[in-house]
Amino acid sequence: QVQLVQSGAEVKKPGASVKASCKASGYTFTSYGISWVRQAPGQGLEYMGWISAYNGYTNYAQKFQGRVTMTTDTSTSTAYMELRSLRSDDAAVYYCVRRSAAGTSQFEYWGQGTLVTVSS
Amino acid sequence: SYMLTQPPSVSVAPGKTARITCGGNNIGSKSVHWYQQKAGQAPVLVIYYDSDRPSGVPERFSGSNSGNTATLTISRVEAGDEADYYCQVWDSNSNQAVFGGGTKLTVL
């Protein structure tokens, strides 16, 4: 079965960077991309972008361009999301997600989330 | 960029039918997906491509999409259906997923 297991909670100071990981199992990692979605406390879901695990191609939401980098390590079936220059409003749970199948647009598989706290 | 509008809250008595709407400009021309998120948990896909159900999702959950409104319908509502519900589409202009603001379903 498809599983996405994310790294643990992080506490960062404003201006710092955070790098969350997402280890995939139960499928051929390079056959699907990984997207990242975040959720601030008490707020809704916000799409951040996508990375192809096949060739590393990325597509970031405009809001995060210049501040986010998504990468993958095919040797360990792990995806990473690094967000730089953290602000207080970046405090959120960050989810890695996978679509049902290539070419589809729904997010069927979700990691458990990584809580990022930004505090001085 | 494309925007989706959901009512902040919907309340329904057990056994009744809940309808949660998702408004967007000509949303009927897009594929709409719905997620259920219970407190402290990751979202779960409950409807995809307007009206399809993933395996394991009860038949009580159904969806429709036409014109400027998509609707998630939950029949014979149970206490366990209490959750936040989000609609989502893919915006081809910005090449990104767009989520509605979410609707909190309260079972009275």
Side-chain angles (χ1 to χ4, degrees):
Chain A
Q1 72 283 19
V2 175
Q3 280 194 308
L4 302 173
V5 179
Q6 299 186 230
S7 49
E10 304 259 16
V11 179
K12 297 293 182 180
K13 296 186 183 301
S17 299
V18 68
K19 190 171 185 177
S21 67
C22 171
K23 184 170 178 59
S25 62
Y27 71 96
T28 301
F29 182 66
T30 52
S31 294
Y32 299 87
I34 292 288
S35 298
W36 291 84
V37 174
R38 76 176 186 179
Q39 185 173 36
Q43 302 300 309
L45 302 170
E46 183 174 33
Y47 178 78
M48 299 182 69
W50 172 85
I51 181 168
S52 166
Y54 174 72
N55 59 14
Y57 172 82
T58 54
N59 183 27
Y60 303 138
Q62 188 170 9
K63 175 177 179 177
F64 299 99
Q65 284 181 5
R67 215 160 58 92
V68 71
T69 300
M70 298 177 186
T71 56
T72 60
D73 181 347
T74 56
S75 69
T76 59
S77 300
T78 302
Y80 299 90
M81 186 284 301
E82 181 180 34
L83 188 63
R84 300 178 292 278
S85 303
L86 290 170
R87 307 184 289 254
S88 58
D89 61 358
D90 290 318
V93 175
Y94 289 76
Y95 294 101
C96 61
V97 297
R98 203 208 84 178
R99 301 177 191 180
S100 297
T104 62
S105 59
Q106 70 273 18
F107 301 120
E108 184 168 2
Y109 303 100
W110 294 69
Q112 84 276 20
T114 294
L115 175 64
V116 175
T117 301
V118 182
S119 174
S120 55
Chain B
S1 60
Y2 195 77
M3 293 183 63
L4 297 173
T5 301
Q6 296 183 236
S9 63
V10 168
S11 299
V12 63
K16 299 299 185 182
T17 298
R19 293 178 179 86
I20 298 171
T21 59
C22 176
N25 184 34
N26 198 25
I27 195 174
S29 67
K30 300 181 179 296
S31 295
V32 179
H33 316 302
W34 291 92
Y35 303 87
Q36 175 193 69
Q37 185 180 33
K38 296 184 178 180
Q41 298 182 19
V44 173
L45 180 70
V46 293
I47 292 289
Y48 64 101
Y49 287 135
D50 298 342
S51 59
D52 290 339
R53 278 187 314 276
S55 61
V57 174
E59 291 184 7
R60 300 185 297 105
F61 287 80
S62 62
S64 63
N65 183 20
S66 178
N68 293 318
T69 304
T71 303
L72 172 69
T73 300
I74 309 172
S75 304
R76 303 181 298 283
V77 166
E78 303 173 356
D81 298 330
E82 192 161 277
D84 294 325
Y85 291 84
Y86 295 90
C87 58
Q88 177 244 317
V89 301
W90 186 264
D91 179 22
S92 56
N93 289 333
S94 60
N95 201 22
Q96 67 181 63
V98 176
F99 290 94
T103 298
K104 181 176 182 58
L105 177 66
T106 299
V107 181
L108 301 171

